Amino acid sequence: MKDSLPISCGVPQGSILGPLLFLIYVNDIYKASDILNEVMFADDTNLFLSHKNIDTLFTNMNAELHKIANWFKSNKLSLNIKKTKWSLFHRSAKKRFLPESLPKLYIDNINIQRDRVTKFLGVYVDENLSWKYHIDTISNKVSKSIGILYKAREILDKRSLKQLYFAFVNSYINYANIVWASTSKSKLERIYRQQKHSARLINFKDRYTHAKPLLEDMKALNVYELNVFNILCFMYKCRYNLSPYVFRDIYKLKPINKYTLRRNQSLLEPKCRTNFDQFSITYRGPYLWNKIVLGNFQFSDEPSLPFFRSSLKKLIFSLENIVTYF
């Protein structure tokens, strides 16, 4: 038996302490660059850089990637180039101003491939932030789940079918809904139709039965209602300092007068130059808060989050047409 090589550094695989030690080990990667914005989650690291000039953008990025490569070498880490991709985020209207052949990005003298749609924490992000690819992916998954419901309803009762709905349909639609479902209502129509189909299957109704009462009976919010619900819960956390610190300045309060209670104070809605801006959380959050929460809630005291969620869900069910807020 040959002698094994001595291990001078590393983390034992499968250990409980391993993930914590790894996070501590890579936590100072942000010091490698002064201009890159880092978004890190476990072993998934994303680097962001913006500039109005496309040539300057790529030149600066290559220079910063050289610093990142040196950081990897200094810390005795290797980068999987096959899993390393880059994307150029831009509005679709600006596409005609881009050159036909874009410059290349390198790290450690190896060319990095472009990825027009990248998967980040289970969400497919396209370069135009249209969410079309992710919505299509969710729709395909829900379609397969509907097939499961169709076969299962021959042997299961309504209660069990409802549990399957929340496990195989609602879970896909609810995950990161606050991000990808903040878009035009036409893009979400396909998923909404699939939800109505699921409700009719579970309740053993035909295709002509009105689905809204069926979803309410299941206590299931449709894709539009889920988006409004998640955004307002997020705004509640921001409003009452329950969210991470980075989100605390996502809104501004309107000037208060003697007739307005501070806890019922409305939020400033920033001006939007384009339709695209209207779906951003910085606009959509204060807009929905003012229209729905302040118009229907009277906060005599700061409500608990569970109470707010429960009351908000009942309120959303009572609204005739949530789609008007899209």
Side-chain angles (χ1 to χ4, degrees):
M1 180 176 178
K2 296 182 179 180
D3 295 336
S4 59
L5 295 175
I7 299 176
S8 59
C9 61
V11 175
Q13 185 176 2
S15 65
I16 297 176
L17 191 59
L20 176 60
L21 294 177
F22 174 81
L23 292 176
I24 296 174
Y25 191 73
V26 302
N27 192 49
D28 65 336
I29 190 174
Y30 71 94
K31 295 183 178 180
S33 172
D34 296 328
I35 63 174
L36 290 179
N37 294 317
E38 299 84 4
V39 175
M40 303 174 63
F41 184 85
D43 61 343
D44 194 347
T45 301
N46 295 265
L47 307 174
F48 295 90
L49 184 64
S50 61
H51 201 279
K52 293 182 179 180
N53 184 280
I54 191 70
D55 294 321
T56 304
L57 174 64
F58 277 81
T59 300
N60 292 345
M61 193 66 188
N62 275 317
E64 298 308 308
L65 288 176
H66 179 70
K67 298 178 182 179
I68 296 296
N70 289 335
W71 181 89
F72 274 98
K73 294 176 182 177
S74 301
N75 288 274
K76 299 180 180 180
L77 292 172
S78 59
L79 181 67
N80 191 337
I81 300 296
K82 293 182 179 180
K83 292 184 178 180
T84 304
K85 308 291 182 180
W86 66 269
S87 299
L88 181 64
F89 295 102
H90 59 280
R91 293 183 179 178
S92 55
K94 301 291 184 180
K95 187 177 181 179
R96 64 179 184 275
F97 298 108
L98 295 177
E100 294 184 2
S101 179
L102 291 173
K104 297 184 181 298
L105 290 179
Y106 300 90
I107 186 165
D108 208 12
N109 296 322
I110 301 176
N111 182 30
I112 306 175
Q113 298 298 318
R114 181 181 183 182
D115 200 352
R116 297 179 184 274
V117 179
T118 183
K119 188 177 182 181
F120 179 63
L121 302 180
V123 178
Y124 290 95
V125 185
D126 60 273
E127 291 187 333
N128 301 129
L129 298 181
S130 66
W131 308 112
K132 182 180 183 303
Y133 188 90
H134 183 78
I135 292 173
D136 289 342
T137 302
I138 293 299
S139 180
N140 292 335
K141 290 180 178 179
V142 171
S143 180
K144 295 178 182 178
S145 300
I146 290 176
I148 296 176
L149 288 175
Y150 188 81
K151 294 180 180 179
R153 74 173 189 162
E154 298 179 359
I155 56 176
L156 298 178
D157 58 8
K158 180 180 175 180
R159 180 174 175 273
S160 300
L161 290 173
K162 178 182 174 181
Q163 292 177 336
L164 286 179
Y165 171 85
F166 280 98
F168 292 107
V169 177
N170 191 78
S171 58
Y172 287 127
I173 300 173
N174 191 46
Y175 180 73
N177 179 282
I178 191 175
V179 178
W180 60 266
S182 294
T183 185
S184 60
K185 62 181 181 181
S186 59
K187 294 181 180 179
L188 304 175
E189 180 64 28
R190 180 181 174 188
I191 292 180
Y192 180 45
R193 290 199 304 267
Q194 290 175 322
Q195 284 185 288
K196 293 191 293 184
H197 187 193
S198 300
R200 295 185 182 110
L201 283 176
I202 292 172
N203 290 276
F204 301 91
K205 301 295 183 180
D206 58 60
R207 58 183 298 184
Y208 301 105
T209 304
H210 189 37
K212 182 175 174 58
L214 302 179
L215 287 169
E216 291 182 8
D217 181 64
M218 294 167 54
K219 294 182 173 54
L221 297 172
N222 64 46
V223 63
Y224 303 107
E225 294 168 338
L226 273 173
N227 182 249
V228 173
F229 177 80
N230 288 328
I231 289 178
L232 290 178
C233 288
F234 173 74
M235 290 302 299
Y236 174 91
K237 294 177 182 179
C238 295
R239 182 72 174 82
Y240 294 102
N241 299 325
L242 298 176
S243 65
Y245 182 79
V246 68
F247 297 117
R248 297 291 169 83
D249 59 348
I250 204 170
Y251 70 91
K252 293 181 180 179
L253 293 170
K254 282 187 177 181
I256 194 170
N257 57 53
K258 62 180 180 180
Y259 301 107
T260 305
L261 294 175
R262 186 169 184 85
R263 60 179 61 91
N264 291 331
Q265 194 173 357
S266 60
L267 309 181
L268 283 174
E269 300 173 17
K271 295 181 179 180
C272 298
R273 295 182 297 175
T274 64
N275 292 333
F276 183 86
D277 295 336
Q278 292 182 358
F279 295 113
S280 65
I281 189 63
T282 53
Y283 172 81
R284 191 161 170 76
Y287 169 77
L288 291 174
W289 182 270
N290 293 338
K291 294 292 184 182
I292 297 179
V293 175
L294 293 186
N296 297 278
F297 281 83
Q298 292 297 326
F299 295 150
S300 57
D301 296 304
E302 181 179 326
S304 65
L305 180 58
F307 175 79
F308 176 79
R309 289 173 60 92
S310 176
S311 302
L312 178 61
K313 192 171 185 179
K314 294 177 182 178
L315 173 61
I316 290 177
F317 278 133
S318 68
L319 296 176
E320 291 186 3
N321 191 5
I322 201 73
V323 182
T324 57
Y325 296 99
F326 281 76

